[in-house]
Each structure stands twice: as structure tokens, then as C-alpha cells.
Amino acid sequence: MDTLVKEIKQLIVGTLNLEGLTPEDIETDAPLFREGLGLDSIDALELGLVLKNKYKISFSSEDQETRKHFYSVATLAKFIASQRNPDAFQQ
Amino acid sequence: MRVFPLKFEEILDAPHAADKVVSIQKNGTKRTFGQFKKTALALAEILSSRREKSFALCFDNAALHAAAFLAAYRANKNVVLPGHNRAAVLNEQHAAGAFDAILTDLPLATDCLKIHVGDDMSGEASLLDEKECHPTHPLNSESAEESNVTFFTSGSSGVSKKVSKTRAQLRVENELHAAHWGQRLPGSAVLGTTSHLHLYGFQFRVLLPLSMGVPFNEHLIEYHEQLHGISSDFCLVSSPAFLKRLDTTLTPLQCRFILCAGGVLPPETALLAQKILGVAPLEIFGSTEAGAMAWRDTAIDREFWTPLPGVEIKSGDDGRLSIRSPFLPDSNYLLTDDKIETKEDGRFRLAGRLDRVVKIEEKRVSLVDVETRLRAIEGIDDVAALPLTVGTRTFIAAVLVLDKTTLSHFRKIGVGKFLLEIRGHLRETLEPVAIPRRIRVVPRIPESTQGKRHAAALESLFLPEKPLGIERIPCPENPSSVILKFKLDPDLIWFRGHFATHPLLPGVAQLRWAEHFATEMLAPDLTFSHLVSLKFLKPLVPNDTVRLQLNLDAGAKLLEFSYKCGEETASFGKIRMK
């Protein structure tokens, strides 16, 4: 899980063009949108595409659910882990 | 008998069945005409009894927004669309007399009178804010003349620009859209990826479906997968920001009709949308001030715009577009800030903007506004904001002059954390896309001899100085050596003007990089002392893939470096460190 969290932070830094931002500057549990990093709706779309491409995951058409997954790095990591290995997650 | 399109004043009295669907909620629940009408009429009654003349619409839900608009219409009140739901800015606008009260479905922390329009589906409008209105400015007196609708949009002065339209103007424009595109809607639901808080979304997502008797979605479509959850036929009111980011791996859909506005759709995006959503988008070119001006069907033409019927265009000596149209308050030509190139047959091509308003993902961003908001932050003495394009994305960057205390704070915490602090400050007052993503701190803002901001000099501050995408080749047998492989990006600042027609990587860049990477990777405590020897054998040019080898003799504080391109050595030398 720690590796996944690190990877996601690296992807955020690599995708979103925020000056001098390092993976260490991103708090795992802090909100990604509005507060925290203050990302915008375009960031959400771009990050979504990158995550889908890298982890071969799929997002629900239900936006409430997707919004929850995009809350923080921690929630994204949990979601990606559950999609990659559904059995392990259920235990 | 003519029923559709309905005029605005006919919508609430339309001969629809009470269970006709007006709009669809997020969870799929349908709002009926009976419920919609009840909400609107109850609110109209409240508004009629109020002294206030102008009401701002700040809704999350597009159907409640529509009900509030029609209620104000019926009560002959002025409607204001601030274009956002940010409490801090609403307070500023209220204090400046932009409106008397707010109609909303959100828990906004504003200090003026708010009438909460509930979403309990009972159709009851509830007065949430009991605090009586103590106006900070005299209320606009009731007038017999037809009330108007006011939009706010980013203006070049930095203050948001007020655009008032009479109801007649909006009505005429809606009739034209209904006549041209309205016939494509019946039998489908209208979905939108653009907000109803601005003119384009309001007209096409809300007013057009209402006047055609076609249901619309109350909530915004924010990402591609949401379209896969729609079971009915649909039309999409969209923008390039959304269409550019469609996911090519999802199953193609069959959308009935796509409208696109807000910015120019790149030809490849038009083709992509056609492939993935099943229909080529129809683009509308317009502005809040002028309304819709021209259109093009991307199935036929992805380059030239055709003026809408009744719209006359002309371009001045500087290419500046002026228009005269039935959607304007009078028959004078309106000067826009867009530049165009015209063709003999009356079609035209867009050729940029003339003011300091830039479009970031279709949102108009005033650079002056961004600068004003930045300057208001304590510790920032001077500032210049500019648009910057990296790859396919354009965003706002800022050049800052800091006072002493803030400068040392900046040096201590580093650029990444400092940027997050700045972004935190701006969140209250700027749209997310207007908040700077890159910053440079300088002693003074570069200016030309005329005292004007030097655009090229500002932009060049953001050109990369060091190569990106560096691959480190391991050399485990020798811990005092590193080998780095990278490609010379043509955007590197060093290629600018060195030389104009034959760019070469200058020796000074090669020395700096050798020193920089040696300090970063081999000897964090050492810095450059003097150059011992240097030999150039072959020029390095843009797009060369280069191997930089560094060997450090820590005892002698001597750094040896060499740059290779393929098997050929381009340069080598020795630097004494201290």
C-alpha cells in the first residue's frame, strides 16, 4: 500500500505541473480538491485518465462514489488496491 | 397550433400534463412539471411581496435555478447571474450594489438576505434566512420598465464585467437557437458538462430544453463514465475542456447531438468526439456580451465560422471583430476583443485576443484580477501573471517580488510548499483554473524601456534551465561516478537566441549542469571554485540524446566531466571544487 501511495503522489507531481511540488509535499490524507492541493476539475479529468491508463482500473458512472475515491491520495490508493485485487480487499 | 418553442413567459402556463418530466435528478428521480411549477409559483409569490428589486441566482441544481429564474421573471424582478457560488466574492459584489438579495439552494456564508429554495420536492420555497435585510446600499427602486438579466464575466480591468441584457434580447436569441437546433432535441434528454451559472450553459442546458418541452439533467456531467450511466437518448451541451479528455478506451456511445462552445475545438478533438460519442460536435462561437455570433458543423468544416442569421460581422484594420446582431440592445456595432481573418464568402477564422483576458479551459481569466488578488497577499510586493502552455495544457503562472521576510520564508520552505500556501490564499477569491501553478521569484518584474511589462522576458523566466526526464545509468563499481542520460529539450532556455537559426547548447550550460549534478549526486558540500580545463569537440543541438559522465576525486576536490552524443565525445573538462 505504501508503494502505491508513493506512486500516486509521483503521478500527481508528474501530471499536474505544480511548480516545485515534491511527492513529500502531498499529505496522504489531505483533500486533493478545494482545500489541500486545491486541484481543479481539469486536474480531476487528467488524473483520472492517467490512473486508468496505469492501473487499468475503471470508474463508476455514479459520481458520488467516484468523488469519494478522489478525496485524497489515501482513498485513491485504497480504491486502486481494491480493483486490482478484489479478494484481498474483502478479507 | 404552435406550442414549441415556448416563450419564457409561457413556460409555467404551458399546457403540459402535471406529470410531464421537466428534469432528471442525480439519482434518476424525475421532477414533474407539476412540482416544478409549484416551486416557481410559490417563489414568485414571495418575490412579489419583497421590496428588493434584484436577485442573484446561486444554485447548484439547474432545475431550481430555472424555477428561480422563471419566478423572478413572473414577479418582474431583475435577475443577476454572478457566475459562481463563492461567498467571499458574493459579499464583495453585494456591497458594490450588484444585487439586493440571493436566491440559492446552498448553505452560503454571505451577509445579505438569502432566500433558500429547497429541494424537498414538495415544491415549497422556504425562507431560510430570517435576518431582515439591512441594505448596505439603497435598493433599486421599482420601475415600470421591463426588468433585465445581468451576467458577470471576467473583464480586462480585473473587476468582473457586468453585462446586462433585456429579457427581449435573451428571448430573441433563444428563439433563434430553438429554430435552428431545437428540432434535434425532442425524444432525448439534454445533458451538460458546462455550468448553468454562465450564459452558454444557462441558454442551452436550461432555457432551450424548457422552451422545447424536453427534459434536462439537473446536475453537471463531470467525467466521461457518467455518460455510460444514462439510459435514454441524450444530447450533450459541452466544451473543449471535456471533449479533449474523453477516454478512448471506453465503449463508444451514440449521442444524438453535441453542442460545443466556450473555446475553439481542436480538429483532432472534433474527430475524437465523433468517434467516441457518435456524432460530430456543432460549435457555437459567442461571448457573454454579444451572445451567439457564429457556428460551424465540425462534420463539414473545422476551420471557418459562419455568422448566424441576422448577425453582421466586420473586422477593423487590426483584425478586430465588430458585430451587429439582433441579440444586442441596439443596432450599433459592438467592438469585441477577438481578432479575426475574414474570407470573401463571409466566413471567418479566429486569430487571438487583444486584451489581458485569457481563456483557460474555456474559462475567461483576467490576468489583472489574478494580479490584484496576488498583490493583496501579505509579503507580495509586485507581481505579473501570464498564461503558460506546457504540453497540451495552458495554465496561469506568476512572477513574484517578495518582501524580505517572505523571501527568507520562501527560501526556507522551498518553492513547492510556498506555492501551496499561495494557492491556499487565492482559493477564496479565484476560480480554481485561475490559480497559478508555476511561480518565479525575482528581484524586480522585467519591463521594457517604455515601462510596459515585457511579455517575452516574463515567459522566458519559465523556460527550463536544466534537462528533464533524466535517466541515471548505474555504475556500481565506482561510487564516485555517475552517468546521466537525457534528451536536449528544444525549449531549454539556453537555446534561445544562441543562435537564432542554429541553436547550440552553450559551454556555460554544460559547465553549470556538470557542477549542478555533481553537487546534487556526488558531493552535496562542494561548490564550483574554478575551471581547470575545457575542450569542445562537437556542438550539441536540440533533441540530441546526451550522456553526461561525472567523476569526482573527493580528496583533490577535482571534478572531471564529459558529454557524449552516441559514441562521439562532444566536450570534456575539469572543474576545481571547494
Side-chain angles (χ1 to χ4, degrees):
Chain A
M1 199 65 160
D2 280 354
T3 328
L4 191 53
V5 163
K6 260 192 205 154
E7 275 178 20
I8 294 170
K9 289 183 180 178
Q10 194 61 56
L11 281 177
I12 293 176
V13 170
T15 312
L16 303 181
N17 263 313
L18 286 159
E19 182 88 49
L21 191 80
T22 62
E24 295 73 43
D25 292 330
I26 304 173
E27 288 175 46
T28 309
D29 294 309
L32 292 170
F33 298 90
R34 291 166 196 269
E35 298 147 61
L37 283 188
L39 302 182
D40 59 39
S41 56
I42 307 297
D43 293 322
L45 286 172
E46 302 222 315
L47 198 56
L49 286 176
V50 170
L51 292 171
K52 282 189 277 185
N53 190 20
K54 179 156 169 108
Y55 299 109
K56 310 291 168 223
I57 50 172
S58 57
F59 291 111
S60 153
S61 65
E62 201 40 66
D63 68 320
Q64 293 290 21
E65 209 179 297
T66 308
R67 212 179 286 274
K68 277 184 207 153
H69 301 321
F70 273 84
Y71 178 76
S72 67
V73 172
T75 55
L76 273 176
K78 202 171 145 194
F79 171 65
I80 293 166
S82 74
Q83 283 230 342
R84 275 168 149 188
N85 192 353
D87 297 336
F89 187 62
Q90 276 165 11
Q91 285 161 11
Chain B
M1 190 188 80
R2 179 196 67 87
V3 177
F4 301 114
L6 296 162
K7 296 181 190 312
F8 299 153
E9 60 272 25
E10 293 170 345
I11 292 171
L12 291 175
D13 301 314
H16 297 325
D19 61 355
K20 180 183 168 66
V21 179
V22 167
S23 57
I24 302 143
Q25 295 198 299
K26 201 174 247 182
N27 59 10
T29 314
K30 296 176 170 73
R31 189 183 300 265
T32 65
F33 180 62
Q35 291 164 326
F36 180 79
K37 184 173 172 175
K38 203 172 162 195
T39 305
L41 292 182
L43 183 62
E45 205 176 307
I46 294 172
L47 295 182
S48 301
S49 70
R50 305 277 333 173
R51 233 156 40 90
E52 293 83 4
K53 174 66 183 164
S54 63
F55 293 85
L57 266 46
C58 300
F59 286 89
D60 181 45
N61 181 308
L64 293 175
H65 178 94
F69 172 75
L70 295 175
Y73 203 98
R74 184 163 281 225
N76 197 27
K77 300 292 184 180
N78 290 328
V79 168
V80 177
L81 269 74
H84 64 91
N85 292 327
R86 287 189 303 286
V89 182
L90 289 171
N91 281 337
E92 285 176 13
Q93 290 178 311
H94 175 252
F99 48 82
D100 301 323
I102 293 176
L103 306 178
T104 185
D105 60 348
L106 295 164
L108 290 173
T110 48
D111 8 300
C112 57
L113 176 82
K114 273 187 305 250
I115 296 176
H116 192 265
V117 183
D119 195 18
D120 55 4
M121 301 298 284
S122 69
E124 295 299 323
S126 55
L127 251 181
L128 190 80
D129 197 332
E130 298 83 13
K131 190 172 65 179
E132 244 324 298
C133 182
H134 296 294
T136 50
H137 54 90
L139 295 175
N140 300 323
S141 58
E142 296 271 350
S143 65
E145 71 185 74
E146 196 186 50
S147 53
N148 58 30
V149 183
T150 301
F151 297 85
F152 280 89
T153 183
S154 294
S156 51
S157 67
V159 180
S160 58
K161 187 173 173 185
K162 188 173 153 182
V163 179
S164 283
K165 291 178 188 279
T166 61
R167 292 169 166 197
Q169 278 176 266
L170 271 187
R171 211 160 40 211
V172 173
E173 191 173 340
N174 190 62
E175 277 162 18
L176 179 127
H177 294 315
H180 277 261
W181 338 112
Q183 291 318 315
R184 309 206 195 181
L185 307 187
S188 68
V190 175
L191 314 184
T193 72
T194 54
S195 165
H196 57 268
L197 299 175
H198 299 278
L199 179 64
Y200 165 59
F202 183 47
Q203 272 182 325
F204 288 98
R205 263 184 73 194
V206 179
L207 294 179
L208 187 60
L210 275 173
S211 61
M212 294 306 297
V214 170
F216 60 95
N217 259 42
E218 298 184 1
H219 289 90
L220 206 60
I221 297 291
E222 291 170 288
Y223 61 94
H224 188 163
E225 280 86 342
Q226 282 174 285
L227 296 176
H228 286 257
I230 307 293
S231 49
S232 63
D233 257 20
F234 65 90
C235 298
L236 194 63
V237 176
S238 194
S239 74
F242 183 86
L243 298 177
K244 272 185 206 168
R245 294 172 179 89
L246 290 170
D247 184 345
T248 51
T249 65
L250 297 178
T251 326
L253 290 166
Q254 190 56 54
C255 173
R256 179 162 325 170
F257 176 46
I258 304 174
L259 266 173
C260 180
V264 176
L265 197 59
E268 64 276 13
T269 308
L271 288 170
L272 177 78
Q274 183 171 13
K275 203 173 124 200
I276 297 179
L277 299 177
V279 58
L282 186 118
E283 284 189 86
I284 304 266
F285 169 63
S287 72
T288 308
E289 296 87 337
M293 294 184 261
W295 65 283
R296 62 181 178 187
D297 184 344
T298 60
I300 299 161
D301 192 342
R302 288 183 281 274
E303 190 175 8
F304 291 98
W305 297 89
T306 305
L308 283 162
V311 174
E312 293 167 50
I313 63 152
K314 63 178 188 188
S315 74
D317 294 339
D318 52 358
R320 190 167 187 161
L321 166 69
S322 308
I323 80 143
R324 185 153 79 169
S325 105
F327 320 140
L328 288 170
D330 52 40
S331 58
N332 296 330
Y333 272 94
L334 174 85
L335 207 57
T336 72
D337 287 312
D338 290 292
K339 281 201 287 189
I340 58 163
E341 291 161 13
T342 45
K343 268 183 82 159
E344 279 164 13
D345 63 4
R347 293 185 299 156
F348 64 92
R349 184 180 12 219
L350 292 172
R353 295 271 301 180
L354 286 150
D355 57 7
R356 292 198 73 214
V357 172
V358 294
K359 281 233 170 157
I360 306 285
E361 304 289 353
E362 291 90 73
K363 296 232 165 66
R364 266 161 79 155
V365 174
S366 155
L367 296 174
V368 179
D369 187 27
V370 175
E371 289 171 357
T372 310
R373 303 294 184 182
L374 275 166
R375 218 175 267 124
I377 299 173
E378 209 187 317
I380 296 183
D381 286 346
D382 200 3
V383 47
L386 62 154
L388 206 64
T389 303
V390 174
T392 56
R393 192 160 173 189
T394 302
F395 49 80
I396 299 291
V399 180
L400 307 173
V401 179
L402 304 178
D403 70 15
K404 244 179 152 175
T405 324
T406 313
L407 188 63
S408 61
H409 172 65
F410 166 74
R411 288 187 175 140
K412 199 170 128 202
I413 65 168
V415 62
K417 284 207 171 61
F418 188 77
L419 176 69
L420 291 186
E421 286 185 7
I422 299 279
R423 287 171 62 84
H425 281 293
L426 298 174
R427 208 169 289 143
E428 300 288 310
T429 50
L430 288 180
E431 290 242 28
V433 294
I435 300 178
R437 309 180 78 90
R438 292 221 172 159
I439 48 170
R440 287 287 181 274
V441 172
V442 294
R444 74 189 68 77
I445 304 287
E447 287 183 344
S448 68
T449 41
Q450 290 82 29
K452 288 245 172 94
R453 292 276 154 94
H454 202 301
L458 287 172
E459 212 177 301
S460 71
L461 288 171
F462 291 90
L463 292 174
E465 286 184 25
K466 288 191 280 289
L468 295 167
I470 295 169
E471 185 191 339
R472 187 171 172 168
I473 299 165
C475 32
E477 71 286 356
N478 193 352
S480 61
S481 289
V482 284
I483 299 173
L484 304 172
K485 193 173 152 192
F486 49 83
K487 195 171 154 188
L488 298 178
D489 184 339
D491 281 338
L492 282 164
I493 191 168
W494 302 104
F495 290 129
R496 286 287 160 109
H498 187 276
F499 299 91
T501 49
H502 297 285
L504 307 176
L505 186 69
V508 60
Q510 299 183 32
L511 284 176
R512 280 222 204 152
W513 292 353
E515 179 215 344
H516 171 83
F517 292 117
T519 308
E520 186 179 292
M521 294 172 183
L522 295 172
D525 304 329
L526 297 181
T527 59
F528 182 88
S529 167
H530 59 273
L531 184 63
V532 179
S533 66
L534 178 61
K535 182 103 180 151
F536 295 109
L537 301 173
K538 180 188 175 296
L540 292 171
V541 299
N543 294 314
D544 272 352
T545 296
V546 168
R547 279 160 64 107
L548 166 60
Q549 177 153 9
L550 300 167
N551 303 312
L552 182 77
D553 180 341
K557 296 187 179 170
L558 191 69
L559 174 69
E560 285 181 6
F561 67 89
S562 67
Y563 285 85
K564 276 189 183 170
C565 184
E567 286 310 305
E568 266 185 280
T569 301
S571 67
F572 61 93
K574 289 177 187 169
I575 295 170
R576 182 78 64 198
M577 306 290 276
K578 59 178 180 187

